[in-house]
Amino acid sequence: METYTHRRRWMGIDLANASVCLRMLIILAVLAACLPPQPCQAASYPFQFYYGAQVDLHGQYPETAIDLAGDLKLDWISIEFDWAQHASTAESAPSLDELSATLQHARDRELRVLIALSHPPAWALTENGPDPAATSRLAAAIAKLQPGLELAIELFPAANTVEGWHAAPDPTAYLNVFMQTSQALQATGLPVQVITSLSPLSTNSNAADIRDVDFLHSLYQIDTASILSTIGLRYPVLSGNPLDTPEQGAVPVLRHYETLRAVMLQHDRPGNQIWITGFSWPCPDQPSAPTSAQGQAEWLTQALELFKAQLFIGAAFFIQINPAESTLCTGNIPSLMIVNKENVSQVSLHPAYQALMNLTHATSIWSLESQPPLPPATGSENQGH
């Protein structure tokens, strides 16, 4: 019950949420101390940060996972679409019935959907990678499944690697596929966003893989029309604590995104966004990995608060809600649902579920009306918000 009539506000911050403000200010202070000074540049940033999580359609209880995402009030879910699994030949149309039903379910729960388009079939590959025409046709077909659903397509996760691109990574070839896919989606008249997808290299990288920062540098050099606006960053594995500074180690830390941001600023793209399209807490064998379920929940909370504090990060997707078909962590499936191995009908929720709910259900401490006007965006900046 209120004990006073008017709450005092300072710069749009409700002092009743002072503890939350203090945590954010601590994070910002740490980052400010670690980063080199940058020249002032005009940029337009999103008003809103989107919370997301991945649903594995081939994992356990995918429908329940979508319902949990709705209960969490997530903004987005991500779904991997294995192209080869749904279109074995060029002559047959891709099987999209299962995906359409999933998108309808997501729409019913008021969720937006990010489709991670992966694993092109052999017939859709050229010597330079996925065929642009075949890719654009598939993207347009997916976009038409549920016209009223807000959709985005992550174009071949980890495209800077042989595993993700299914050929030697090629920034020119990738940009060509990106452009043709974007044009095909624009022709549908549906507002579907296309997102690039890069990953930091891991210890078992192919010799032909290209570092994500180098790949992005090349993309910007050839993107003379400035069509790239949102850069997806998907972490295969992570190490350390969320606030650890990025270093040249074998396994990346969470703040590796700062290296991509530096490339954006180097190429005068301050208005571009980064979407974290996949991340989870470190595997047990990694340095400083949380050793308990509660520790993992606290790691997730700190990571999401850190992401939200970066004005250039528009979304972050936790991997994942339901137990996956496979996992990079041996013996440890990072998911919000815990299925009893002895009795798969028994399902419980990881403490990280409640931690995520605390964030998604919290009232924003920032009032949009109280924020100062943003600098105008240039014609080449499409914020997607």
Side-chain angles (χ1 to χ4, degrees):
M1 180 177 180
E2 296 285 350
T3 57
Y4 49 98
T5 305
H6 301 287
R7 296 186 191 183
R8 296 178 59 195
R9 292 180 179 271
W10 177 72
M11 290 184 66
I13 302 177
D14 190 333
L15 294 184
N17 292 306
S19 62
V20 180
C21 297
L22 180 60
R23 295 175 69 183
M24 291 185 65
L25 290 173
I26 290 173
I27 291 175
L28 291 172
V30 170
L31 294 182
C34 296
L35 292 175
Q38 296 287 348
C40 293
Q41 301 187 58
S44 58
Y45 295 111
F47 281 108
Q48 186 172 0
F49 172 82
Y50 292 126
Y51 291 100
Q54 179 171 301
V55 174
D56 190 332
L57 294 185
H58 304 289
Q60 296 174 285
Y61 302 109
E63 293 184 359
T64 301
I66 294 175
D67 286 330
L68 288 176
D71 294 342
L72 280 168
K73 298 189 183 300
L74 294 178
D75 302 297
W76 290 78
I77 60 171
S78 66
I79 297 171
E80 181 180 3
F81 183 78
D82 189 318
W83 187 0
Q85 190 170 347
H86 294 85
S88 56
T89 65
E91 291 74 24
S92 59
S95 175
L96 300 177
D97 291 345
E98 178 187 21
L99 179 61
S100 180
T102 299
L103 296 181
Q104 178 64 59
H105 189 179
R107 182 180 177 183
D108 293 342
R109 294 309 308 261
E110 300 182 345
L111 295 163
R112 306 170 179 90
V113 181
L114 172 67
I115 302 290
L117 186 57
S118 66
H119 301 121
W123 62 263
L125 286 172
T126 70
E127 62 180 7
N128 295 321
D131 178 68
T135 302
S136 58
R137 286 195 300 270
L138 175 63
I142 291 175
K144 295 175 182 177
L145 292 176
Q146 297 291 335
L149 175 69
E150 187 170 345
L151 199 68
I153 293 181
E154 181 183 9
L155 202 58
F156 302 112
N160 57 307
T161 68
V162 173
E163 182 179 4
W165 188 239
H166 291 262
D170 183 338
T172 300
Y174 185 78
L175 188 62
N176 186 28
V177 174
F178 184 96
M179 292 176 62
Q180 291 199 35
T181 302
S182 298
Q183 291 168 359
L185 289 170
Q186 289 173 5
T188 67
L190 300 170
V192 181
Q193 185 177 7
V194 184
I195 296 174
T196 62
S197 185
L198 308 177
S199 284
L201 301 186
S202 59
T203 54
N204 58 348
S205 296
N206 188 292
D209 292 348
I210 302 176
R211 291 196 313 151
D212 54 356
V213 290
D214 297 331
F215 196 90
L216 181 59
H217 175 75
S218 297
L219 281 177
Y220 279 150
Q221 283 187 316
I222 58 180
D223 179 27
T224 56
S226 297
I227 65 171
L228 300 175
S229 62
T230 304
I231 307 301
L233 175 60
R234 182 178 288 257
Y235 292 98
V237 290
L238 282 168
S239 66
N241 297 307
L243 288 178
D244 288 350
T245 56
E247 297 175 353
Q248 295 296 329
V251 180
V253 296
L254 194 72
R255 286 173 58 191
H256 173 78
Y257 60 76
E258 293 176 11
T259 62
L260 293 186
R261 183 59 179 173
V263 176
M264 288 180 172
L265 298 179
Q266 179 185 352
H267 287 270
D268 196 24
R269 305 288 185 101
N272 281 188
Q273 290 185 30
I274 293 176
W275 277 28
I276 309 297
T277 56
F279 79 101
S280 183
W281 50 73
C283 298
D285 59 345
Q286 294 300 326
S288 302
T291 57
S292 66
Q294 186 58 42
Q296 291 169 340
E298 292 171 359
W299 190 100
L300 178 61
T301 297
Q302 190 175 28
L304 286 170
E305 288 179 337
L306 180 62
F307 287 145
K308 190 174 182 179
Q310 314 309 309
L311 298 181
F312 55 85
I313 294 182
F317 293 78
F318 172 74
I319 298 179
Q320 58 201 25
I321 299 179
N322 58 323
E325 185 177 30
S326 61
T327 177
L328 292 172
C329 295
T330 304
N332 175 55
I333 300 177
S335 63
L336 301 182
M337 296 170 62
I338 302 174
V339 178
N340 190 319
K341 294 181 180 179
E342 304 299 327
N343 184 356
V344 294
S345 64
Q346 294 182 357
V347 180
S348 59
L349 295 176
H350 192 287
Y353 176 87
Q354 184 60 50
L356 183 53
M357 178 172 285
N358 292 341
L359 293 172
T360 57
H361 285 237
T363 302
S364 173
I365 64 171
W366 295 103
S367 168
L368 295 186
E369 291 79 12
S370 66
Q371 293 190 51
L374 294 178
T378 64
S380 62
E381 294 172 358
N382 174 20
Q383 293 303 307
H385 286 269

